[in-house]
Amino acid sequence: MQAEPKKTQAGSLVGEEYEVEIGPVAHGGHCIARTEAGQVLFVRHALPGERVVARVTEGEEGARFLRADAVEILDPSKDRIEAPCPFAGPGRCGGCDWQHAKPGAQRRMKGEVVAEQLKRLAGLTPEEAGWDGTVMPAEGDKLPAGQVPQWRTRVQYAVDAEGHAGLRKHRSHEVERIDHCMIAAAGVSELGIEKRDWTGMESVEAIAATGSQDRQVILTPKPGARLPIVELDRPVSVMRVGEKDGGVHRVHGRPFVRERADGRTHRVGSGGFWQVHPKAADTLVTAVMQGLLPRKGETALDLYCGVGLFAGALADRLGEQGAVLGIESGKRAVEDARHNLADFPRVRIEQGKVESVLPRTGITEVDLIVLDPPRAGAGRKTVSHLTSLGARRIAYVACDPAALARDIAYFRDGGYRVRTLRVFDLFPMTHHVECVAILEPAGKAS
């Protein structure tokens, strides 16, 4: 089937429709299909094995691939459900990728993506990576089809030209107006962001801390706009993003929220990084510590350490004779980490990029390493440095399976192998997944 193309520029295929068989899931929240001419389609809102009508949303004649939405399902998968969210679907909110899939199918597809990335980029099977292939839901998230976990403790709302808060459409600056977000944590939903007039604002980020009643909104004004008086349904502190410096500045209330994990309270300021799922921090600390098995008196590195979550967990287990060095590039995060870890005299936090600071420390050996790099991964140079330090175990926390697989290959070049891999579904309804890989010297017996 082929509709009349809506050509917006020379060679554009946007609006063209193809009847296709949907192939495997791919990294990025879509599945792969091919036109009769052999051109690759990345199709959202479809599931493997379905037959659908796919409408092109991006791409031109001769492009390596096209992006498309499944706009008609001709032969549905047994894993398909009606999306619980009224704002999900082709051309609608881009916040979720898998609203139309049963929860178990979502986890299975995420596992297939991780396995494919490991094989393609690191040359490893799941067995060779010490992984049984399962993707574990967070505690409390295993719900029946049609029920959605309310997990997102931080939501960034975009604001449209009329001042209404909403969420961005997929790969677009357009705003989908919403009256609620189904995956938002209760602490975010109860603020009532969607009901207020946000004229003059570019975005409104809402934060509901885990383990405290702290609530915060961060406003990003349009150039020259004045801040509104913020009156929400619950008490909040208010921050704003500076027009000139891009920094986050206090307007009202505390400039931080208090998060709770691993039996400790952590100060997180200025919208700094903290895991979004309320169970994520504890889940990841448990996985990392079970993998590393810290011993009293050992030395450890915590790289890309944020506000000190893993550094604190390590220090607590290494005892008074142990020592931890954390490295973090964000100035405010370093201040928070130093505050959070002030009761550990043998913890030191250095500010700067890992690739710059680590060589300057003069450290030539260490027992344990934790790294939780940004989405792009650590990279060959940093991994090469880490493998020279002789750590008996390394824990790599990754939010992107492609970056993890690339870095695992670099670790292998440096003499390390994956001992175990655990995969967690800490972002239900989206394509995102969190991995914890434990690496050890390749010559070490299991």
Side-chain angles (χ1 to χ4, degrees):
M1 156 178 182
Q2 207 151 293
E4 196 63 33
K6 302 170 186 173
K7 297 195 176 183
T8 56
Q9 62 187 59
S12 172
L13 292 175
V14 172
E16 188 81 40
E17 294 184 353
Y18 300 94
E19 187 175 310
V20 292
E21 296 279 355
I22 299 297
V25 64
H27 186 28
H30 48 250
C31 297
I32 296 175
R34 289 182 181 272
T35 66
E36 285 187 7
Q39 197 164 20
V40 173
L41 289 172
F42 289 161
V43 186
R44 283 174 58 82
H45 309 290
L47 293 173
E50 292 186 326
R51 188 161 189 84
V52 308
V53 176
R55 180 182 298 151
V56 176
T57 56
E58 289 181 44
E60 303 172 359
E61 294 170 359
R64 194 162 55 89
F65 63 85
L66 308 173
R67 296 184 184 275
D69 284 341
V71 293
E72 186 180 351
I73 312 303
L74 305 175
D75 186 9
S77 163
K78 62 178 177 22
D79 291 323
R80 176 174 286 276
I81 59 171
E82 186 165 344
C85 177
F87 308 107
R92 305 292 303 277
C93 173
C96 293
D97 306 293
W98 301 119
Q99 285 270 351
H100 58 287
K102 293 177 181 177
Q106 293 182 38
R107 292 190 287 272
R108 189 171 65 250
M109 288 189 292
K110 293 183 188 195
E112 289 167 2
V113 168
V114 173
E116 189 269 337
Q117 296 294 305
L118 282 173
K119 188 65 178 175
R120 187 166 65 86
L121 298 173
L124 294 175
T125 64
E127 294 75 19
E128 289 169 334
W131 175 43
D132 64 6
T134 61
V135 177
M136 296 297 297
E139 180 187 339
D141 276 1
K142 204 162 184 180
L143 299 173
Q147 292 187 31
V148 176
Q150 297 175 325
W151 59 270
R152 196 168 187 96
T153 60
R154 294 170 178 235
V155 177
Q156 183 153 19
Y157 297 88
V159 179
D160 68 15
E162 284 76 46
H164 296 280
L167 298 171
R168 299 273 185 207
K169 298 181 179 181
H170 182 62
R171 293 176 62 83
S172 171
H173 291 294
E174 282 189 63
V175 178
E176 175 80 22
R177 289 187 188 180
I178 63 171
D179 56 29
H180 71 290
C181 174
M182 291 190 75
I183 63 172
V188 169
S189 297
E190 69 187 16
L191 295 178
I193 299 287
E194 300 94 338
K195 298 184 296 185
R196 299 299 192 275
D197 179 1
W198 299 103
T199 299
M201 298 300 103
E202 289 279 0
S203 66
V204 180
E205 183 175 6
I207 299 170
T210 300
S212 79
Q213 291 300 307
D214 293 350
R215 305 288 182 264
Q216 187 177 85
V217 295
I218 302 174
L219 306 178
T220 303
K222 293 177 179 175
R226 296 180 61 182
L227 287 186
I229 295 173
V230 178
E231 294 180 339
L232 295 174
D233 294 350
R234 293 289 186 276
V236 296
S237 60
V238 180
M239 310 289 287
R240 68 166 291 165
V241 176
E243 186 177 329
K244 294 180 180 177
D245 63 1
V248 182
H249 306 281
R250 187 178 79 91
V251 176
H252 166 76
R254 286 195 191 100
F256 58 85
V257 296
R258 294 163 297 177
E259 301 280 4
R260 187 86 181 156
D262 195 40
R264 297 175 56 79
T265 297
H266 301 75
R267 186 181 82 181
V268 184
S270 301
F273 175 78
W274 186 261
Q275 290 287 342
V276 178
H277 193 294
K279 301 288 186 181
D282 277 323
T283 297
L284 295 174
V285 166
T286 298
V288 167
M289 296 304 139
Q290 286 177 347
L292 292 180
L293 297 174
R295 301 166 186 162
K296 298 291 185 184
E298 287 189 315
T299 59
L301 293 175
D302 180 11
L303 308 179
Y304 317 92
C305 71
V307 300
L309 173 65
F310 295 117
L314 284 164
D316 196 43
R317 290 155 177 83
L318 296 179
E320 293 180 2
Q321 300 306 310
V324 182
L325 171 66
I327 301 177
E328 165 60 38
S329 62
K331 182 180 179 183
R332 180 57 200 258
V334 167
E335 292 173 3
D336 286 336
R338 289 171 177 163
H339 170 87
N340 295 335
L341 304 171
D343 53 343
F344 293 115
R346 289 179 61 80
V347 173
R348 190 168 99 248
I349 306 295
E350 296 286 347
Q351 185 192 345
K353 293 186 176 180
V354 169
E355 60 268 28
S356 302
V357 174
L358 188 56
R360 295 203 305 263
T361 63
I363 292 172
T364 57
E365 58 182 353
V366 71
D367 297 304
L368 302 171
I369 299 171
V370 179
L371 66 156
D372 185 1
R375 190 167 298 280
R380 185 188 294 274
K381 182 180 178 183
T382 296
V383 169
S384 177
H385 190 140
L386 297 182
T387 59
S388 74
L389 300 177
R392 67 173 178 85
R393 284 199 182 170
I394 298 172
Y396 189 131
V397 182
C399 61
D400 185 276
L404 173 65
R406 281 192 298 269
D407 283 347
I408 283 174
Y410 301 147
F411 274 109
R412 183 177 56 219
D413 294 343
Y416 277 75
R417 70 180 184 98
V418 185
R419 177 185 175 88
T420 60
L421 175 66
R422 297 176 71 183
V423 185
F424 301 97
D425 186 14
L426 301 181
F427 310 91
M429 302 292 154
T430 79
H431 75 272
H432 299 289
V433 68
E434 199 85 16
C435 301
V436 176
I438 304 298
L439 299 105
E440 64 183 6
K444 187 176 179 180
S446 294

